[in-house]
Amino acid sequence: MSRRNILRGAGLVGAAAVIAACDNSQKSDSAGAPAVVTKQRQLKMVTSWPKNFPGLGTGAERLAKRIELLSDGNIKVKVYAAGELVGALGGFDAVSQGKADMYHAAEYYWQGKSPAFNFFAAVPMGMTASEMNAWIRFEGGQELWDELSGGFGIKPFMAGNTGVQMGGWFKKDINSLEDFQGLRIRMPGLGGEVLKRVGAAPVTKQGGEIFQALSQGNIDATEWIGPWNDLAFGFHSIVKNYYYPGIHEPGTTLSLGLNKDLWDDMTPHEQEIIRAASAAENDIMYAEFTAGNARALETLINDHGVKLKRFSDDILRELGRISATVLADAAKSDAITARVYESFETARKGGIRWGAISEQAFAHARGLIQE
């Protein structure tokens, strides 16, 4: 069995043990065989997140530490928060141009390069975290992503997930589509385009700018992620109406992007370290968000008087209809986006069919005993 197959089948502890066993030091072994010199790497990771921000910022730090651990200290990664080396939305260009070695971010921030990037983070009425994992790992998503990012000199990996996000914080009640008219809302990606088509005025702001914009009245509403991160940002001190569900981001994948020249220079051993560390963080971050959101929601409601509200079925149906049109229009942008869209839609339809009789059906059954 090859080292690559061993690592893929191992958990983190197993992977670390295999790596340690397979590593060669700079000394000769007992039989006098020549040593293999291990390259020392000092890498820079830029992120889109505020420093030490729960889940996102801390997840990037955890990923960097895991890479160092699995490499036995031969690959060291220094993490730069948004604004420390490049701006929150500057990671892609920095890595593509070789000014940084890797980024941790959400791919929809790069939609200006190609609309196809949206599909590898989140699109409105798209796929859940588990469905995204299935598409990218087993249904051709990774190959398309490699092709798309490779054209810009980047090798991408899944490296986190927030799960289903919230619909957002609104200064006024949203009872109908008419209530979106003229609404200035922070919402990036194709979700922003959906709201634009119902009369809202979406804007893209990095995380660290949202609180001030909301408190000064520069925006009327905002989405960020979910209760855990929203509580940390303190939106509840300005706005009390907290809407769900967040149809714009049903399972937001975070990504690790490496400079392609760096990736190609890595040994198979080093590449497998990156794969194993990214896969681990993808799972761990999702679990952490699930736990953190559940706790934070109770705090927001019980301690801060937040009013939890659900978008009506009429609103959701119309947003769903418009979402389908937005995605289809994006697919017309270029050939690679069309192929990504087709692959994504095939996987999404399969996920809907299976989900209806698995997780969705179980959630309904479990809900019956809570009534």
Side-chain angles (χ1 to χ4, degrees):
M1 183 179 293
S2 68
R3 181 185 299 172
R4 175 172 295 182
N5 288 335
I6 292 173
L7 284 172
R8 282 179 174 169
L12 279 182
V13 175
V18 171
I19 291 168
C22 294
D23 267 343
N24 293 300
S25 67
Q26 297 184 27
K27 300 178 182 179
S28 298
D29 61 22
S30 58
V36 175
V37 178
T38 303
K39 182 181 290 188
Q40 301 289 316
R41 297 186 187 272
Q42 303 282 340
L43 306 181
K44 298 176 182 178
M45 178 196 290
V46 294
T47 79
S48 293
W49 325 123
K51 192 173 184 62
N52 297 321
F53 194 70
L56 302 177
T58 56
E61 292 278 2
R62 184 168 51 213
L63 173 58
K65 291 177 181 177
R66 184 170 291 110
I67 290 171
E68 181 175 346
L69 173 65
L70 293 180
S71 69
D72 200 24
N74 291 315
I75 304 176
K76 296 185 183 297
V77 181
K78 180 174 176 56
V79 178
Y80 294 87
E84 289 186 337
L85 191 62
V86 299
L89 306 182
F92 188 91
D93 286 340
V95 173
S96 177
Q97 297 165 10
K99 297 177 182 177
D101 300 297
M102 55 181 69
Y103 66 72
H104 191 266
E107 297 290 274
Y108 50 46
Y109 290 144
W110 329 135
Q111 66 172 333
K113 307 292 183 182
S114 169
F117 281 110
N118 287 284
F119 292 91
F120 298 101
V123 297
M125 290 295 184
M127 291 195 276
T128 64
S130 60
E131 290 166 348
M132 285 290 289
N133 288 343
W135 173 54
I136 291 178
R137 287 180 174 146
F138 296 106
E139 298 180 81
Q142 185 68 56
E143 291 77 9
L144 286 166
W145 196 6
D146 286 343
E147 180 183 348
L148 174 65
S149 294
F152 296 90
I154 290 174
K155 167 63 178 175
F157 291 98
M158 292 188 294
N161 202 298
T162 67
V164 180
Q165 296 195 6
M166 290 291 286
W169 300 84
F170 294 78
K171 291 183 178 180
K172 68 175 185 178
D173 289 339
I174 303 297
N175 298 315
S176 67
L177 285 177
E178 287 69 30
D179 292 322
F180 285 103
Q181 291 288 330
L183 191 77
R184 295 166 299 173
I185 181 170
R186 184 270 179 191
M187 183 174 288
L190 296 181
E193 177 62 25
V194 171
L195 292 190
K196 182 178 180 180
R197 296 192 186 189
V198 295
V203 298
T204 297
K205 289 185 177 294
Q206 63 185 45
E209 299 174 340
I210 302 175
F211 183 90
Q212 184 176 9
L214 192 63
S215 64
Q216 294 181 347
N218 296 326
I219 55 177
D220 307 306
T222 186
E223 62 79 42
W224 175 230
I225 296 178
W228 186 32
N229 281 177
D230 293 1
L231 175 64
F233 264 173
F235 299 139
H236 59 275
S237 66
I238 307 171
V239 185
K240 296 300 182 183
N241 294 328
Y242 199 23
Y243 276 85
Y244 73 98
I247 63 96
H248 61 297
E249 297 193 41
T252 308
T253 297
L254 290 310
S255 53
L256 177 72
L258 282 79
N259 178 273
K260 188 66 163 51
D261 290 338
L262 167 64
W263 174 256
D264 291 341
D265 184 62
M266 286 183 168
T267 65
H269 178 189
E270 291 174 316
Q271 290 180 347
E272 203 58 48
I273 288 170
I274 301 299
R275 286 192 182 93
S278 298
E281 185 55 39
N282 194 59
D283 176 67
I284 292 171
M285 184 184 290
Y286 179 42
E288 187 175 30
F289 266 100
T290 301
N293 282 333
R295 292 192 301 265
L297 182 61
E298 295 300 313
T299 299
L300 287 168
I301 294 173
N302 297 329
D303 298 346
H304 299 290
V306 168
K307 300 175 183 177
L308 190 63
K309 298 183 177 182
R310 181 181 179 277
F311 291 123
S312 70
D313 286 349
D314 288 342
I315 290 175
L316 293 174
R317 286 191 190 96
E318 187 62 15
L319 292 180
R321 184 190 67 78
I322 296 172
S323 295
T325 301
V326 167
L327 297 188
D329 287 347
K332 300 173 185 177
S333 303
D334 51 64
I336 182 65
T337 304
R339 289 193 290 120
V340 169
Y341 167 77
E342 182 179 354
S343 175
F344 183 94
E345 275 297 285
T346 298
R348 189 179 79 98
K349 290 175 181 177
I352 291 172
R353 287 192 295 272
W354 169 238
I357 64 169
S358 57
E359 293 189 10
Q360 183 178 341
F362 171 72
H364 172 73
R366 187 171 60 180
L368 296 176
I369 63 175
Q370 301 298 322
E371 295 179 350

